[in-house]
């Protein structure tokens, strides 16, 4: 896990257990880094404005301001596990990381008796799923969509040709056959193109602001919808 992903995961871990705290040692064990690395990461997050505070004492640690955490949720254990199963079935999509984060928040926000029973029931339910196939690429694309930034990608097309593209991202699409696609304006081709995520070898979010592309402007190009000759690279 690189530092950017770890910083994000640290916030999500503290958000999931808030208002309880996690010690630097517990966080270090979870993310397989040193205690000193955790302390540097927490300091960087605090300096960037994330409301993380240190709780003193033997049982102290780091805690995220409870105002940015979920209130108690009155799910039954079976309802919580049903949500877990639904999220687990999507383990191969670009948002699997966020699905796991959402599940941690849900269980952590349940009152202790129900939360404990939900965890016990969940331990008896197993899904045979594939690991997330393109976690780093999908998160970079997600951030580019969020920030409206131009993407620079390394791409291998259907003929095996490797190229570097600059893309103004438009939409993420879940298509037929379990594949996910990025639809965007390819500056190299001066046209809308559809890129399969498993063919994107790397992705970089640039500092350049992307022109506005309303999602509906790409609808004729989306795979799986009624259109002719989609330009899937």
């Amino acid at each position: 896990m690189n530092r950017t992903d770890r910083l994000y995961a640290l916030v999500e871990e503290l958000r999931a257990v808030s208002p309880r705290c996690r010690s630097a040692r517990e966080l270090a064990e979870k993310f397989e880094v040193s205690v000193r690395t955790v302390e540097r990461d927490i300091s960087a997050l605090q300096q960037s404005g994330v409301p993380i505070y240190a709780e003193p004492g033997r049982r102290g640690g780091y805690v995220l301001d409870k105002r940015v955490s979920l209130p108690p949720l009155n799910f039954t254990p079976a309802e919580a596990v049903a949500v877990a199963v639904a999220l687990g079935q999507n383990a191969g999509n670009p948002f699997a990381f966020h699905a796991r984060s959402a599940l941690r928040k849900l269980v952590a926000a349940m009152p202790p008796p129900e939360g404990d029973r939900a965890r016990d029931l969940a331990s008896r339910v197993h899904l045979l799923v594939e690991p997330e196939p393109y976690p780093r690429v999908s998160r970079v694309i997600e951030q580019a969509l969020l920030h409206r930034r131009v993407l620079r990608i390394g791409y291998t097309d259907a003929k095996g040709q490797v190229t570097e593209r600059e893309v103004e991202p438009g939409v993420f699409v879940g298509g037929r056959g379990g594949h996910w696609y990025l639809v965007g304006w390819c500056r190299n081709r001066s046209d809308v193109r559809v890129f399969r995520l498993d063919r994107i070898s790397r992705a970089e979010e640039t500092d350049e602001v992307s022109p506005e592309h309303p999602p509906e402007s790409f609808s004729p190009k989306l795979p799986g919808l009624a259109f002719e000759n989609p330009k899937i690279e």
Side-chain angles (χ1 to χ4, degrees), residues 50-179:
V50 179
I52 297 175
Y53 305 99
E55 290 283 353
R58 188 169 62 88
R59 296 181 178 274
Y62 296 108
V63 60
L64 188 70
D65 190 332
K66 65 181 180 181
R67 290 174 296 180
V68 295
S69 63
L70 289 170
L73 299 177
N74 293 320
F75 281 110
T76 67
E79 287 172 339
V81 172
V83 173
V85 170
L87 292 172
Q89 289 175 336
N90 296 317
N93 76 42
F95 299 96
F97 175 83
H98 302 292
R100 292 191 293 271
S101 174
L103 181 59
R104 288 197 301 270
K105 293 177 188 178
L106 184 153
V107 175
M110 295 176 66
E114 288 78 8
D116 292 341
R117 290 168 58 201
R119 280 184 284 271
D120 179 67
L121 180 57
S123 71
R124 303 170 191 273
V125 179
H126 296 276
L127 294 174
L128 301 179
V129 296
E130 296 295 326
E132 186 179 359
Y134 23 66
R136 175 62 181 162
V137 165
S138 64
R139 285 176 218 163
V140 172
I141 295 173
E142 175 195 338
Q143 290 302 303
L145 285 166
L146 179 64
H147 301 148
R148 283 186 51 201
R149 302 288 183 182
V150 173
L151 276 167
R152 186 174 296 116
I153 65 173
Y155 193 74
T156 304
D157 65 20
K159 297 179 181 179
Q161 183 178 2
V162 180
T163 55
E164 183 171 286
R165 311 288 187 94
E166 283 196 350
V167 180
E168 298 169 8
V171 293
F172 254 149
V173 179
R176 294 172 179 169
H179 294 298

Side-chain angles (χ1 to χ4, degrees), residues 41-61:
D41 287 348
I42 293 293
S43 177
L45 289 167
Q46 290 171 327
Q47 291 175 32
S48 68
V50 179
I52 297 175
Y53 305 99
E55 290 283 353
R58 188 169 62 88
R59 296 181 178 274

